[in-house]
Amino acid sequence: MVNTPGTIDAGCGTSASPCRALTTGLQRVTAVRKTVLVRPGNYTEAIDIDGLRVTVIAYGAIIDPVFAGIAGVKVRNTADVVIEGARITGA
């Protein structure tokens, strides 16, 4: 679980203690835990998904990297990625 007023603690990732950043939420993906739920909000970060099988469900979320010319989402070496509902900005 990811939510803009979330935490950066090592134990984040649940509905009771959501992660603040998408990047942190993606770091919690495992062979068993393959879905990241993202609450509505503006996430000012660039996402780099490397080698993961993951579904990101993010209705109402905006992924907007801070720096111009940076891709909002980069997918590489990945077998299976699904991103639902997010608006992604950037180059």
Side-chain angles (χ1 to χ4, degrees), residues 2 6 10 54 62 67-68 70 77-78 80 87:
V2 178
V54 62
I62 300 167
F67 301 106
I70 301 293
N77 303 319
T78 305
D80 187 16
R87 188 175 93 198

Side-chain angles (χ1 to χ4, degrees), residues 44-68:
T44 54
E45 57 186 302
I47 308 303
D48 187 354
I49 302 173
D50 185 5
L52 295 177
R53 290 179 179 236
V54 62
T55 298
V56 178
I57 301 173
Y59 290 99
I62 300 167
I63 302 169
D64 185 17
V66 175
F67 301 106

